[in-house]
């Protein structure tokens, strides 16, 4: 085993043979597969924009049931409601507890002022519930229902972001992983879609809105870096959803939409960005979404929450330290204490000496006075 030391003071060791800890990722994998995974996804957009269809298409299962047609005489639901539904799905032996949070009523009113407020309150209440569980004495069973990602459906107007789009994303971008998508992208031509995407990104950058973007680091291989770069080029994703299979001119059945002028294939990258959205959301960055929620978004919320409640962090608690430095500090503190004690003892000794000298001097003066008086008396007797 060879050792090298870096600038951080931590020694790096080079192994001469196989030990076995490199198998740890496989242990984590087996344990994770055994336990299963949780993923909480929120969808936000006005009614009829395709939220249910897209989710059912993404997971290739009926997460959202078919909507019941409301009679014309029925009164529309006022305000924004937040509902959730969960489903246990399994793929290649991997179990996933999927929770989809829907927001019916968002953007459906004439006056959509503060339409984002019930959604924000729901997201924060999930943070508060998790924080309360963390502060319990017994934390063996913590239920995590925090929102891992929000898919925000942008209406395909072809112009720019609406006021409600900007206000919603500005209010929530620090609390969730925002994934904006252009819904019903087949209503725009390719050139219109390209221009619309550019305007959306310009508005997002102008208003300082943070959206989720895959990030590459030095540990990623060239293939992963290229995939992340390709995903970034598609943001915001322009998607088409469909639960139906249609017959292609070549005779095969494909998932898509049939029009008089042709077929839009959902799983064709030439027709829309559905494949890239699914790749980022489920295949390559699901864990990154969960980590960002846990270590960045939730931690920021938790810090602000505790500070607002009057909690103050003591930076000396649990701080990292060097044992040698600590011993040296303790030695110096001990020497200082000893010097102080020696100084105090010397001061007390000096005081005692001065008191004794004062008493001796006083006694000497008294004896001298008595001797002088006696001498005077003897002289008178003569």
């Amino acid at each position: 085993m060879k050792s090298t030391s870096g600038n951080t003071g931590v020694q790096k060791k080079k192994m001469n043979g196989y030990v076995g800890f490199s198998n740890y990722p496989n242990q984590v994998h087996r344990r994770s597969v055994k336990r299963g995974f949780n993923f909480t996804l929120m969808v936000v957009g006005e009614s009829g924009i395709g939220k249910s269809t897209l989710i059912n298409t993404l997971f290739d299962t009926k997460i959202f049931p078919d909507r019941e047609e409301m009679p014309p005489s029925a009164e529309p639901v006022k305000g924004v409601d937040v509902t959730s539904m969960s489903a246990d799905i399994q793929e290649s032996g991997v179990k996933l507890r999927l929770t989809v949070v829907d927001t019916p009523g968002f953007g459906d009113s004439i006056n959509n002022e503060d339409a984002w407020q019930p959604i924000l309150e729901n997201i924060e209440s999930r943070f508060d519930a998790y924080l309360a569980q963390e502060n319990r004495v017994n934390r063996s069973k913590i239920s995590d229902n925090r929102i891992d990602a929000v898919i925000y459906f942008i209406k395909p107007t072809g112009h720019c972001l609406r006021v409600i789009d900007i206000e919603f994303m500005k209010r929530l971008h620090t609390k969730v992983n925002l994934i904006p998508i252009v819904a019903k992208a087949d209503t725009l031509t390719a050139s219109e879609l390209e221009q619309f995407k550019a305007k959306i990104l310009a508005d997002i950058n102008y208003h300082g809105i943070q959206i989720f973007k895959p990030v590459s680091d030095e540990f990623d291989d060239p293939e992963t870096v290229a995939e992340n770069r390709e995903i970034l080029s598609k943001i915001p994703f322009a998607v088409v959803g469909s639960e139906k299979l249609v017959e292609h001119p070549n005779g095969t059945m494909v998932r898509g939409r049939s029009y008089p002028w042709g077929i839009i294939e959902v799983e064709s990258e030439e027709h829309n960005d559905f494949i890239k959205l699914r790749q980022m959301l489920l295949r390559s960055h699901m864990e990154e979404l969960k980590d960002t929620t846990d270590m960045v978004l939730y931690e920021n919320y938790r810090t602000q929450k505790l500070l607002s409640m009057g909690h103050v962090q003591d930076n000396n608690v649990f701080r990292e330290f060097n044992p040698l430095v600590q011993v040296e500090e303790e030695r110096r503190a001990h020497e200082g204490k000893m010097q102080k004690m020696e100084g105090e003892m010397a001061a007390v000794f000096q005081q005692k000496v001065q008191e004794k000298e004062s008493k001796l001097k006083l006694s000497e003066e008294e004896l001298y006075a008595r001797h002088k008086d006696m001498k005077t008396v003897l002289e008178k007797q003569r």
Side-chain angles (χ1 to χ4, degrees):
M1 179 185 295
K2 299 179 181 179
S3 65
T4 58
S5 59
N7 296 330
T8 60
V10 179
Q11 291 186 340
K12 295 181 179 180
K13 304 292 185 178
K14 184 176 180 180
M15 309 299 297
N16 293 327
Y18 176 76
V19 175
F21 63 82
S22 61
N23 194 49
Y24 180 72
N26 296 329
Q27 301 174 37
V28 175
H29 172 74
R30 289 194 299 269
R31 186 177 182 183
S32 300
V33 170
K34 183 179 179 181
R35 289 183 172 182
F37 302 89
N38 295 324
F39 191 66
T40 304
L41 180 66
M42 175 180 278
V43 289
V44 181
E46 61 188 58
S47 298
I49 203 168
K51 302 189 297 293
S52 302
T53 301
L54 180 65
I55 293 301
N56 291 342
T57 308
L58 273 172
F59 293 96
D60 197 19
T61 187
K62 205 76 171 178
I63 304 296
F64 281 95
D66 294 330
R67 291 188 304 172
E68 296 181 0
E69 293 293 334
M70 300 294 293
S73 59
E75 295 185 1
V77 179
K78 295 182 179 180
V80 180
D81 192 16
V82 180
T83 62
S84 64
M85 56 197 74
S86 299
D88 292 325
I89 54 182
Q90 186 168 336
E91 180 184 46
S92 300
V94 178
K95 295 176 291 185
L96 176 67
R97 166 60 64 89
L98 173 67
T99 300
V100 180
V101 182
D102 193 11
T103 55
F106 177 84
D108 295 343
S109 303
I110 297 175
N111 181 10
N112 290 302
E113 185 178 1
D114 295 341
W116 43 265
Q117 188 63 38
I119 301 173
L120 177 62
E121 291 175 354
N122 182 270
I123 293 172
E124 291 183 341
S125 68
R126 293 167 182 266
F127 280 162
D128 291 335
Y130 192 82
L131 177 59
Q133 293 180 91
E134 278 191 327
N135 292 332
R136 293 185 313 193
V137 175
N138 185 357
R139 303 189 304 175
S140 59
K141 295 182 179 180
I142 293 183
S143 175
D144 185 5
N145 66 347
R146 295 171 295 178
I147 303 295
D148 296 311
V150 170
I151 299 181
Y152 184 69
F153 290 69
I154 299 173
K155 192 174 183 179
T157 61
H159 302 296
C160 57
L161 289 177
R162 300 171 299 168
V163 175
I164 187 175
D165 300 327
I166 295 171
E167 286 301 315
F168 173 84
M169 290 193 283
K170 284 175 63 176
R171 304 286 181 175
L172 272 73
H173 73 120
T174 59
K175 305 293 175 62
V176 291
N177 292 304
L178 268 179
I179 303 176
I181 68 169
V182 179
K184 298 186 175 182
D186 51 343
T187 60
L188 298 175
T189 65
S191 59
E192 289 173 341
L193 199 55
E194 185 178 354
Q195 294 175 10
F196 189 37
K197 281 188 172 187
K199 292 176 182 177
I200 292 174
L201 289 178
D203 286 342
I204 287 175
N205 293 331
Y206 177 80
H207 292 283
I209 297 170
Q210 303 172 18
I211 60 176
F212 179 78
K213 296 180 179 179
V215 179
S216 302
D217 54 36
E218 66 273 13
F219 299 105
D220 291 330
D221 54 55
E223 183 179 354
T224 301
V225 173
E227 289 179 355
N228 288 343
R229 191 181 299 114
E230 192 171 352
I231 290 174
L232 279 171
S233 67
K234 299 295 183 180
I235 297 176
F237 302 100
V239 299
V240 176
S242 177
E243 301 177 59
K244 298 179 180 179
L245 296 176
V246 296
E247 186 176 356
H248 196 273
N250 62 12
T252 59
M253 302 298 292
V254 296
R255 190 182 300 277
R257 293 180 178 273
S258 179
Y259 295 96
W261 44 264
I263 293 176
I264 294 290
E265 295 183 40
V266 171
E267 297 179 312
S268 172
E269 295 191 44
E270 296 180 357
H271 294 177
N272 72 111
D273 301 329
F274 174 82
I275 292 293
K276 292 303 179 188
L277 171 63
R278 185 174 63 184
Q279 178 181 344
M280 185 189 79
L281 189 65
L282 305 178
R283 298 182 179 180
S284 59
H285 292 82
M286 178 184 281
E287 184 63 20
E288 187 176 341
L289 287 165
K290 294 176 67 67
D291 285 347
T292 302
T293 298
D294 182 43
M295 296 187 291
V296 180
L297 301 172
Y298 169 71
E299 281 300 319
N300 291 340
Y301 177 83
R302 177 179 178 276
T303 300
Q304 296 301 321
K305 186 76 173 183
L306 294 180
L307 289 175
S308 67
M309 295 170 61
H311 293 269
V312 180
Q313 176 68 39
D314 183 0
N315 293 326
N316 291 323
V317 178
F318 303 123
R319 65 185 178 91
E320 295 183 0
F321 62 93
N322 187 325
L324 297 178
V325 174
Q326 185 183 21
V327 171
E328 181 65 20
E329 291 177 352
E330 292 177 352
R331 185 185 64 80
R332 291 177 181 175
H334 179 71
E335 290 180 353
K337 184 177 180 180
M338 293 300 296
Q339 290 177 359
K340 182 179 179 181
M341 291 178 61
E342 290 176 359
E344 292 175 351
M345 293 177 63
V348 171
F349 179 76
Q350 186 68 24
Q351 183 180 359
K352 295 292 184 180
V353 170
Q354 291 177 355
E355 290 176 357
K356 193 67 175 178
E357 288 179 347
S358 298
K359 289 181 180 180
L360 290 173
K361 186 175 182 181
L362 182 61
S363 299
E364 184 179 357
E365 291 175 353
E366 290 177 355
L367 288 173
Y368 179 77
R370 288 173 60 188
H371 175 73
K372 186 177 181 181
D373 291 341
M374 292 177 63
K375 186 177 181 181
T376 301
V377 171
L378 290 174
E379 289 179 351
K380 287 181 179 181
Q381 289 179 354
R382 291 177 183 175

